[in-house]
Amino acid sequence: MFNLIEKVKDVNPLVLHYTNNVTINDCANITLALGASPLMSFSYEEVEDIVKAANSVVINIGTMNSELLNLYLIAGKVANKYKKPVILDPVGVFATKARTNLTNKLLNEVKFDVVKGNVAEIKFIGGFDVKGKGVDSFDDETDCTEIIKKVAKKLECVVAATGKTDIITDGDRVYKINNGTKKLKGITGTGCMSASLIASFLGCDKNTLECATMGVLTMSLCGELADRQNPDIGSFKVNLMDEVYSLNVDKLNTYAKIEELVLA
């Protein structure tokens, strides 16, 4: 699985983003740092051509814009039409009825390869109670593996739930990642950037579970490495981008804290 880090650089997949205005620049830069090519669009007119040309598609609902809501749906359907892997980031799905309704519509009408969110967002989508405010997660530290597995089976796709321990599962196999740092919550967009990283791996390999795991691991591990000298938050963000850029198989073998479970 770690060899996927080199495959991204070799393939240089084109990752199409329908994402939010707050983190769009960071998503583009993290995609480049990993070795993929970002492409951003808010245009109805080019959906057919641009999705067809892409290697993978990100749909992120973080900035709710009434004029773009139907665009997300169209883009997802076109991605399905051309068999392009597509990832959903349902940012703040539990924060408002509009976000909940949009997410439900997308999940009902588009076949997603990966749904990525924090633990609270994933639990909410699965019908479980959550505690939260806005787009933030206030989960306790109990093991949510069984819950996340149930959500993956319900959605019939890979689910990546980020938290103190990241959980990525297809409903049967489970990867748990114990890398990370609290500073990842101190800058805007690390979740959105994680979706970009997942899509970058999805754009060059067909093993969806491993691609999703590598995307989440890249963010968690690089965040941990970026925080080794306890820098202030601005320097931490710069270090994070540098660590993604320099990530390789040797670093993954040395520092990754990952375990695989096979659950009945």
Side-chain angles (χ1 to χ4, degrees), residues 61-73:
I61 69 166
T63 305
M64 291 285 283
N65 183 329
S66 298
E67 295 180 358
L68 299 177
L69 302 188
N70 199 45
L71 176 61
Y72 301 147
L73 185 63

Side-chain angles (χ1 to χ4, degrees), residues 21-121:
N21 293 324
V22 177
T23 64
I24 190 169
N25 185 65
D26 290 325
C27 289
N29 282 327
I30 206 81
T31 303
L32 286 168
L34 188 67
S37 293
L39 182 61
M40 277 57 183
S41 179
F42 296 113
S43 169
Y44 283 90
E45 291 81 4
E46 67 177 5
V47 172
E48 188 86 12
D49 290 338
I50 204 169
V51 171
K52 186 177 180 180
N55 293 103
S56 60
V57 180
V58 176
I59 296 177
N60 175 308
I61 69 166
T63 305
M64 291 285 283
N65 183 329
S66 298
E67 295 180 358
L68 299 177
L69 302 188
N70 199 45
L71 176 61
Y72 301 147
L73 185 63
I74 295 171
K77 289 182 176 181
V78 175
N80 288 168
K81 173 183 174 181
Y82 289 110
K83 300 187 185 328
K84 304 291 184 175
V86 57
I87 175 173
L88 175 64
D89 192 348
V91 180
V93 58
F94 52 79
T96 65
K97 289 182 179 179
R99 289 175 186 266
T100 301
N101 291 340
L102 174 60
T103 299
N104 288 337
K105 188 174 182 64
L106 287 166
L107 289 171
N108 286 331
E109 299 188 31
V110 176
K111 173 60 179 174
F112 289 95
D113 295 86
V114 179
V115 174
K116 183 225 70 80
N118 61 45
V119 170
E121 290 163 346

Side-chain angles (χ1 to χ4, degrees), residues 216-229:
V216 175
L217 175 61
T218 298
M219 178 57 69
S220 294
L221 173 56
C222 290
E224 181 178 301
L225 295 176
D227 197 29
R228 282 180 289 186
Q229 301 300 318

Side-chain angles (χ1 to χ4, degrees), residues 4-264:
L4 288 172
I5 194 72
E6 302 301 334
K7 191 171 184 180
V8 171
K9 294 174 173 58
D10 290 339
V11 175
N12 185 228
L14 183 62
V15 181
L16 174 59
H17 292 71
Y18 294 93
T19 192
N20 72 76
N21 293 324
V22 177
T23 64
I24 190 169
N25 185 65
D26 290 325
C27 289
N29 282 327
I30 206 81
T31 303
L32 286 168
L34 188 67
S37 293
L39 182 61
M40 277 57 183
S41 179
F42 296 113
S43 169
Y44 283 90
E45 291 81 4
E46 67 177 5
V47 172
E48 188 86 12
D49 290 338
I50 204 169
V51 171
K52 186 177 180 180
N55 293 103
S56 60
V57 180
V58 176
I59 296 177
N60 175 308
I61 69 166
T63 305
M64 291 285 283
N65 183 329
S66 298
E67 295 180 358
L68 299 177
L69 302 188
N70 199 45
L71 176 61
Y72 301 147
L73 185 63
I74 295 171
K77 289 182 176 181
V78 175
N80 288 168
K81 173 183 174 181
Y82 289 110
K83 300 187 185 328
K84 304 291 184 175
V86 57
I87 175 173
L88 175 64
D89 192 348
V91 180
V93 58
F94 52 79
T96 65
K97 289 182 179 179
R99 289 175 186 266
T100 301
N101 291 340
L102 174 60
T103 299
N104 288 337
K105 188 174 182 64
L106 287 166
L107 289 171
N108 286 331
E109 299 188 31
V110 176
K111 173 60 179 174
F112 289 95
D113 295 86
V114 179
V115 174
K116 183 225 70 80
N118 61 45
V119 170
E121 290 163 346
I122 297 302
K123 287 170 67 176
F124 182 84
I125 288 173
F128 295 91
D129 291 334
V130 300
K131 297 179 291 181
K133 179 179 69 174
V135 299
D136 298 318
S137 171
F138 294 88
D139 277 298
D140 56 31
E141 297 180 6
T142 56
D143 190 341
C144 296
T145 302
E146 286 296 328
I147 290 176
I148 306 306
K149 188 180 80 164
K150 289 177 181 177
V151 178
K153 287 188 173 181
K154 176 181 178 180
L155 299 181
E156 298 181 335
C157 72
V158 169
V159 168
T162 59
K164 183 176 181 181
T165 297
D166 304 315
I167 301 169
I168 305 93
T169 179
D170 59 5
D172 295 310
R173 295 172 63 197
V174 178
Y175 286 101
K176 301 178 76 171
I177 298 167
N178 292 297
N179 294 100
T181 170
K182 290 182 179 179
K183 280 202 176 84
L184 286 170
K185 288 188 175 183
I187 58 175
T188 298
T190 53
C192 301
M193 286 186 274
S194 294
S196 298
L197 293 170
I198 292 171
S200 297
F201 287 107
L202 281 174
C204 69
D205 195 87
K206 293 183 178 181
N207 190 320
T208 304
L209 179 60
E210 291 189 356
C211 287
T213 301
M214 280 298 297
V216 175
L217 175 61
T218 298
M219 178 57 69
S220 294
L221 173 56
C222 290
E224 181 178 301
L225 295 176
D227 197 29
R228 282 180 289 186
Q229 301 300 318
N230 191 29
D232 290 337
I233 200 67
S235 298
F236 169 76
K237 184 176 180 181
V238 173
N239 291 349
L240 174 63
M241 198 69 68
D242 289 344
E243 290 292 347
V244 172
Y245 180 78
S246 64
L247 188 63
N248 55 40
V249 174
D250 288 341
K251 281 188 177 181
L252 286 161
N253 282 321
T254 302
Y255 298 110
K257 301 170 187 174
I258 184 171
E259 57 181 313
E260 180 182 4
L261 308 174
V262 179
L263 304 177

